[in-house]
């Protein structure tokens, strides 16, 4: 099992229409093939500068690679991610058995 997580800060204020547009578009990623346990996250502490996160799981690297090149994911990155995200951190990991 592979977990893909991104934590980010948007260029727009909290509560803005742009924030709602971005989060709605991000939520649609949950419908892509082989995405498991998708969640949209909101930061609750002040330990970093990221306000939101997205996390999802994939059965294996091949499924994750397919997600990365899926046309809807590519469109999301080009249309929303690049225009709306100010900064981010991406973490991909597997459980140690």
């Amino acid at each position: 099992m592979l977990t893909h997580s991104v934590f980010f800060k948007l260029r727009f204020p909290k509560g803005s229409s742009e924030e709602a547009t971005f989060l709605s578009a991000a939520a649609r990623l949950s419908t892509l093939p082989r995405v498991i346990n998708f969640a949209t996250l909101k930061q609750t502490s002040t330990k970093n500068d990221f306000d939101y996160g997205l996390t999802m799981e994939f059965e294996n690297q091949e499924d994750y690679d397919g997600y990365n090149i899926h046309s809807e994911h590519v469109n999301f990155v080009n249309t929303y991610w690049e225009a709306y995200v100010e900064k981010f951190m991406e973490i991909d990991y597997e459980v140690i058995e």
Side-chain angles (χ1 to χ4, degrees):
M1 186 71 61
L2 185 144
T3 301
H4 169 63
S5 301
V6 290
F7 304 97
F8 55 93
K9 181 174 185 66
L10 296 175
R11 300 178 195 277
F12 305 100
K14 291 179 184 176
S16 66
S17 63
E18 294 89 353
E19 174 197 61
T21 297
F22 179 88
L23 294 175
S24 177
R28 289 191 294 273
L29 295 173
S30 68
T31 65
L32 296 185
R34 298 183 174 83
V35 172
I36 304 167
N37 297 324
F38 180 94
T40 302
L41 311 168
K42 180 175 76 171
Q43 176 66 272
T44 60
S45 77
T46 57
K47 294 180 181 178
N48 64 61
D49 293 333
F50 302 112
D51 295 321
Y52 298 99
L54 302 173
T55 187
M56 61 198 80
E57 294 177 335
F58 299 90
E59 287 291 331
N60 53 50
Q61 185 68 46
E62 182 181 353
D63 288 353
Y64 175 59
D65 292 343
Y67 164 81
N68 271 323
I69 63 171
H70 191 283
S71 61
E72 290 181 43
H73 175 256
V74 171
N75 183 58
F76 171 78
V77 170
N78 292 335
T79 303
Y80 297 101
W81 190 266
E82 292 178 0
Y84 286 62
V85 174
E86 181 177 313
K87 64 181 178 174
F88 73 97
M89 175 177 59
E90 182 173 331
I91 301 173
D92 300 321
Y93 52 93
E94 293 179 320
V95 173
I96 298 172
E97 297 185 28

